[in-house]
Amino acid sequence: MAFATSVSKKHIQFIAFQVTLIGTVFCGNVLIWPAEASHWLNVKIIIQELIRREHNVTILVSNASLFITPHAETSERFEVYPVPFGKNYIDSLIKEIVNLWLYNRPTTLTFWQFYKELGKLISKANKMNRQLCDGVLASQDLMARLQRDKYDVLLSDPVTIGGDLVALKLGIPFVYSLRFTPASTVERHCGKMPSPPSYAPAALSELTDQLSFSERIKNIVSYHLQDYVFQSYWGEWDSYYSEILDYSHWMNLKLVTEELASMGHNITVLVHSASLSVNTTSASALHFEPIEVGFTSDGLRSLWEKFLRFWVYEKAQVSFWEMHSTMRSLSRSISHIQRQICDGAVKSRKLLGKLQLSQYDVLLSDPVLPCGELLAELLRVPFIFTLRFSPGFAFERLCGQILTPPSYVPAATSELQEKMSFLERTENLLLYLIHDLLQLLVWKEWDSYYSSVLGEFP
């Protein structure tokens, strides 16, 4: 009898648990960021299945789309946005790519010419893709409408870049469904799909899994050339994403400040005149106070692009010591920029007087940009740090006393895993020591700066 009662209780708990999930199983709002041609066929099948399961589906589609035709009588809903090109442009570009691939296949003599022409066509497709993103992300009305519709998830094929960016701006999760990319480039680099070129033929290569020696050589070269074609424009997208999403440390602060504002606090954000991240003209509960600086946004963008290009694409090609020599040089340039921002804040009597009259209760900053605590000292208010991360956990270890044994805690940005070989542990230890040295050299310069502003050693 006791056993039966126990089973009965378990059944009731299980049924209750299922009931709580009914709302998430049905009536989901799904936003689609589609791709053209055969990639649309892939996503279209998923859309039909989502509709069959009673999900609400909305498709973002440009007014120049060739394959996606909005119909009022269909079950899915369409959000049509304008772009500065027509259907003929897309049709012509697709035909050029198909003709190159079908009728001008690379031979031993034309190998380089083929990939040169392919690179040109990919560049044109990339520019068109950028205009698709602008058509959605630059439209405040459309983005506001998408926010109001409260989607649960965004589904996209990553061959048309931007779906993840739209999802991040809307604050919703996203899911990829990928048909394929040439030489499985996205699958290998982003999805970490194992594909040894010695026996996994590159997608579209028309090679089989039974490769001769010469075919293996061709396959390896195909992989590298496709990687080069893709990576040559991924760097441009890094910059575009950074401008749209804000740089990572501002993203961290932005979330905190917006939450504070929603709780009724009055928030003032000090932002320098060349900022790439902070949109001071957008509708916001935040108040922005400008800091005048002696450099331009173009100069700042150029520096960050140089930094990103080296970190993402070049550092793996240079020696360990050359990498850190370059990083030291870039750090000096960044520190020079930071010094000018600091000058604009703490050496402006007009700005300091205005801030003192406002009688702030606390100052919040990310310590990767020095001067927040110095400004708090001048205003005689307490300060709070919120830190996204620092390279090699230098701030976290040296200032926050966080425990990070280099034998099994990989340095931030090292790209090492928690399970390291002896050589990787040695590399990790060296990374810690070098990041500490670089940071201590930078801090020594700031010690002098703080002393000159405060009139005493801080």
Side-chain angles (χ1 to χ4, degrees), residues 125-410:
N126 186 46
K127 182 179 178 181
M128 183 183 72
N129 197 165
R130 181 77 62 94
Q131 291 171 327
L132 291 172
C133 286
D134 287 342
V136 174
L137 294 162
S139 173
Q140 293 185 2
D141 290 341
L142 175 56
M143 289 301 292
R145 195 159 61 247
L146 295 176
Q147 287 278 12
R148 286 196 300 269
D149 288 340
K150 296 184 177 179
Y151 293 98
D152 299 303
V153 69
L154 181 144
L155 170 67
S156 73
D157 187 318
V159 294
T160 299
I161 297 172
D164 51 347
L165 188 52
V166 174
L168 288 167
K169 289 294 285 184
L170 295 177
I172 59 176
F174 62 91
V175 178
Y176 280 150
S177 176
L178 176 60
R179 185 172 174 82
F180 73 91
T181 56
S184 305
T185 308
V186 172
E187 296 92 316
R188 290 184 291 109
H189 288 281
C190 306
K192 303 301 181 185
M193 182 183 81
S195 52
S198 56
Y199 66 90
L204 298 181
S205 68
E206 300 184 9
L207 297 170
T208 70
D209 57 357
Q210 301 292 324
L211 300 174
S212 65
F213 178 75
S214 61
E215 287 174 331
R216 292 184 187 199
I217 298 297
K218 179 182 177 182
N219 198 46
I220 291 170
V221 174
S222 295
Y223 269 37
H224 285 296
L225 286 172
Q226 289 288 0
D227 289 354
Y228 175 77
V229 169
F230 273 79
Q231 289 177 355
S232 63
Y233 71 81
W234 274 347
E236 298 174 15
W237 282 104
D238 284 340
S239 176
Y240 184 85
Y241 272 51
S242 294
E243 290 180 31
I244 297 294
L245 283 177
D246 308 324
Y247 286 85
S248 60
H249 291 270
W250 167 238
M251 286 176 66
N252 178 48
L253 272 172
K254 186 180 179 184
L255 290 171
V256 178
T257 54
E258 288 177 345
E259 181 63 21
L260 287 169
S262 72
M263 297 170 74
H265 296 283
N266 299 315
I267 310 296
T268 298
V269 181
L270 288 169
V271 53
H272 65 81
S273 55
S275 176
L276 300 173
S277 300
V278 188
N279 184 3
T280 58
T281 60
S282 64
S284 173
L286 310 177
H287 169 69
F288 297 98
E289 190 67 53
I291 300 173
E292 293 302 320
V293 292
F295 56 89
T296 65
S297 55
D298 287 340
L300 183 60
R301 182 180 293 106
S302 176
L303 175 60
W304 281 117
E305 285 180 354
K306 185 178 180 181
F307 175 83
L308 286 170
R309 192 181 307 112
F310 175 77
W311 191 264
V312 176
Y313 302 113
E314 298 173 7
K315 73 180 177 71
Q317 312 300 323
V318 299
S319 69
F320 186 88
W321 301 109
E322 188 178 351
M323 177 186 75
H324 286 283
S325 174
T326 304
M327 287 302 298
R328 173 63 176 154
S329 175
L330 289 169
S331 295
R332 284 199 192 99
S333 299
I334 293 169
S335 186
H336 180 65
I337 290 285
Q338 292 175 335
R339 183 72 61 90
Q340 292 182 67
I341 296 171
C342 209
D343 284 343
V346 304
K347 293 186 178 181
S348 170
R349 292 185 178 180
K350 182 180 177 181
L351 177 59
L352 281 175
K354 187 175 181 180
L355 296 176
Q356 285 168 342
L357 288 174
S358 297
Q359 297 183 334
Y360 293 103
D361 299 304
V362 69
L363 183 144
L364 173 69
S365 73
D366 187 320
V368 294
L369 176 60
C371 231
E373 69 276 27
L374 178 57
L375 185 60
E377 184 75 16
L378 293 172
L379 296 176
R380 296 289 189 269
V381 297
F383 65 89
I384 298 171
F385 280 151
T386 174
L387 175 62
R388 186 172 175 85
F389 74 91
S390 64
F393 295 127
F395 284 51
E396 295 90 323
R397 291 182 293 105
L398 301 179
C399 306
Q401 307 302 313
I402 187 173
L403 299 175
T404 53
S407 57
Y408 66 93
V409 179

